Amino acid sequence: MNRKSPAHRRLGRRAAVAAGLVLAVGLGVSTQVSAQAAVHAPAKASTTAPQSVSGTPGQAVTRVADFYGAYIDAKGDYTDPDVTLAAALRNHYLTPDFAKRLAAWEKKNAADGVLRAQNIPAQWTATDNGTVGNGHEVIVTLTFGSGETTQKTKLFVLVERYNHIVDIDTTSNR
């Protein structure tokens, strides 16, 4: 058979298919063995309590917590931050007037105005701080760094009519 004959090409294809089947079957067996071994391994006891998050639609603290959680997730992926999502979140949660003021603050301070920082926090919490005028204030505590080198920043987020954020500041409106 010459190299270009149809019979030679069929033999080559059959060899490739056979090699693929052997590889697939071999991988399937090794995966099953690994899975069976994992089933018989003793489970490790968890040393931390399970986490839970709850909220209620329409509550200012829930709305602010949702915003900060999603915003930090969007900005926090250092290899591929989702700037489109971060912009959409700002557009959805912030009033247009506040968004303009925030953009001016960011230009002046060379930092992210929502986070009041140039980097992304490792942790955050949102705590109800009560009614302020026609709105509601939520304290957002951002924790930057880890281990013994952490820094906490408190932000006071004011939510007013229609549950939109109208201000973020480092001092309370109370």
Side-chain angles (χ1 to χ4, degrees), residues 19-174:
L21 285 172
V22 168
L23 183 59
V25 170
L27 286 175
V29 169
S30 67
T31 304
Q32 286 177 343
V33 170
S34 297
Q36 289 171 350
V39 169
H40 298 295
K44 292 184 180 179
S46 176
T47 58
T48 59
Q51 292 183 333
S52 66
V53 176
S54 62
T56 304
Q59 283 190 338
V61 70
T62 300
R63 188 152 179 87
V64 170
D66 290 345
F67 169 61
Y68 269 87
Y71 189 80
I72 290 167
D73 284 348
K75 300 280 286 191
D77 187 352
Y78 291 107
T79 58
D80 190 22
D82 193 339
V83 293
T84 304
L85 176 58
L89 289 165
R90 287 169 76 131
N91 188 48
H92 179 74
Y93 283 94
L94 309 180
T95 63
D97 178 57
F98 178 57
K100 288 177 190 172
R101 288 187 288 126
L102 195 61
W105 184 96
E106 290 172 331
K107 187 175 182 179
K108 179 182 176 185
N109 293 282
D112 185 300
V114 171
L115 304 173
R116 293 293 199 255
Q118 293 176 334
N119 53 355
I120 307 302
Q123 294 179 334
W124 59 270
T125 60
T127 308
D128 192 344
N129 200 33
T131 305
V132 176
N134 292 329
H136 208 88
E137 190 172 70
V138 177
I139 301 171
V140 175
T141 305
L142 305 174
T143 304
F144 296 91
S146 62
E148 293 182 25
T149 58
T150 61
Q151 178 184 354
K152 291 186 185 256
T153 299
K154 272 191 179 182
L155 301 177
F156 297 88
V157 180
L158 186 59
V159 178
E160 283 189 358
R161 261 163 75 150
Y162 309 114
N163 289 322
H164 284 88
I165 296 171
V166 296
D167 194 30
I168 299 171
D169 207 340
T170 54
T171 58
S172 177
N173 290 292
R174 301 190 85 177

